[in-house]
Amino acid sequence: WVNNLLPYANLDRRINFKSFSDLNWRGEWQNTYQTSSVGRRLSDIFWRTLPWEKIEGELGEIHIFDTGCGHGNYGARLYNASGGKVASYTGVDAKARPNWKELEKKYPNFHFIESRSSNVSELVPQGSNLFITQSAIEHFDEDIKFFEQIKNYVENRDEPTIQVHIFPAAATLPLYLLHGLRQYTPRTVSKITRIFSDSSKFYLYGLGGRSAWKVHWKYFTWPVLIARKFGKPTFDESEYDKDLVEAVHSDMQRPSNSPIFWALIIHSKPRAKVW
């Protein structure tokens, strides 16, 4: 809670604040998992509506390095979302998962490594040019050290590199309680961006707002964390879907300074404008 205070103090002025109001989000809504949490569904919409053609035009072959990949499902999701533009995907997690071998068999260009985030510099394949994390950096004991390792890699490359990191904002503290080690604000995000030189561009998108917050509280925080009803969701999925669609639409009309999640994009040594 203390770390979340003064969210807009001492900002890195190089950060470009963006409102997530993609006009195509409704067309991608059916491609999200209906029982996923509010933050996860917003994140999935963000991934699916990334300008994949522009990213490919800037990077050439897309080689993803995903830290904190969990079960590795985002490899397949991004491969599909990009229209098959992902040339390779490397997923790293502190704990190996049983389905990794199945994914490597289905996608020969996928590879998984069991390792902690503190060892990233030793694991990055040469040619990696799209670094991603999804709901991961809040679990890293040393998040700044993680970004310092990426900085050393990207600044030793002559080619453009893009990073996309999605993580919980301060508003999730009462929603998730003791999930992870921390939440993030623009002030604490600035600690990350200041690691990188002026050869990088920074974009920070807020995902969700007050309406989405209320939906998550109603369907997840109250029944699970307060009423302690564990297991499969006890709510009506169609009702949840309807309420969330209305909430996302409402929040996009009135972008909030206190979103549920942040999406940070770091575009290093850019050759073309992607965002």
Side-chain angles (χ1 to χ4, degrees):
W1 178 81
V2 172
N3 193 50
N4 291 336
L5 296 176
L6 303 175
Y8 286 89
N10 195 26
L11 297 181
D12 183 348
R13 297 301 176 183
R14 299 175 300 169
I15 296 176
N16 296 288
F17 287 88
K18 296 276 191 175
S19 296
F20 180 51
S21 55
D22 188 274
L23 298 177
N24 300 316
W25 73 271
R26 287 182 182 272
E28 295 291 350
W29 191 252
Q30 62 183 355
N31 295 314
T32 65
Y33 292 88
Q34 198 169 24
T35 57
S36 291
S37 68
V38 173
R40 183 70 67 168
R41 295 189 76 177
L42 285 167
S43 298
D44 286 353
I45 287 294
F46 189 84
W47 289 116
R48 296 195 65 86
T49 57
L50 283 175
W52 288 104
E53 289 188 5
K54 290 183 178 180
I55 291 173
E56 184 183 43
E58 174 72 340
L59 300 179
E61 287 190 344
I62 299 174
H63 298 280
I64 295 178
F65 188 87
D66 180 4
T67 309
C69 68
H71 291 280
N73 295 324
Y74 273 91
R77 293 181 193 179
L78 297 185
Y79 181 86
N80 294 327
S82 68
K85 292 179 172 60
V86 175
S88 71
Y89 170 89
T90 301
V92 176
D93 200 271
K95 179 181 179 182
R97 308 303 168 103
N99 66 317
W100 282 1
K101 290 184 179 180
E102 297 176 13
L103 285 170
E104 288 177 334
K105 185 177 181 180
K106 183 176 181 179
Y107 301 93
N109 55 345
F110 282 25
H111 178 56
F112 293 94
I113 304 171
E114 182 180 2
S115 180
R116 296 179 63 82
S117 61
S118 56
N119 301 322
V120 161
S121 61
E122 302 172 8
L123 307 174
V124 179
Q126 287 300 312
S128 298
N129 53 19
L130 179 55
F131 289 79
I132 72 167
T133 62
Q134 168 65 57
S135 305
I137 66 171
E138 70 270 23
H139 298 287
F140 296 172
D141 290 336
E142 299 179 276
D143 56 340
I144 297 300
K145 182 179 179 181
F146 165 74
F147 282 100
E148 287 174 343
Q149 293 179 76
I150 297 180
K151 186 265 295 187
N152 292 335
Y153 173 85
V154 301
E155 296 198 351
N156 284 323
R157 296 185 78 234
D158 294 327
E159 305 295 322
T161 307
I162 293 173
Q163 301 175 55
V164 183
H165 305 282
I166 303 182
F167 41 81
T172 63
L173 178 56
L175 292 180
Y176 294 179
L177 300 182
L178 299 180
H179 169 86
L181 302 174
R182 68 188 78 83
Q183 301 81 42
Y184 289 85
T185 67
R187 177 180 61 80
T188 53
V189 168
S190 293
K191 295 180 180 181
I192 295 170
T193 58
R194 285 194 178 98
I195 295 170
F196 296 85
S197 70
D198 288 338
S199 66
S200 296
K201 302 292 184 183
F202 311 96
Y203 306 91
L204 189 61
Y205 287 82
L207 307 183
R210 185 172 181 81
S211 297
W213 191 98
K214 291 179 179 179
V215 172
H216 187 99
W217 176 271
K218 175 181 177 181
Y219 289 97
F220 293 93
T221 303
W222 176 259
V224 176
L225 296 183
I226 309 301
R228 314 297 286 179
K229 295 179 181 179
F230 298 107
K232 292 184 178 181
T234 57
F235 53 77
D236 183 299
E237 293 180 15
S238 61
E239 182 181 348
Y240 166 55
D241 196 69
K242 177 177 178 293
D243 285 353
L244 186 52
V245 166
E246 292 177 358
V248 171
H249 175 74
S250 176
D251 288 337
M252 284 188 176
Q253 305 308 305
R254 299 185 300 275
S256 172
N257 287 331
S258 182
I260 292 180
F261 269 56
W262 293 108
L264 172 64
I265 295 172
I266 303 176
H267 188 178
S268 298
K269 299 181 181 177
R271 292 177 178 172
K273 184 175 177 58
V274 179
W275 285 273

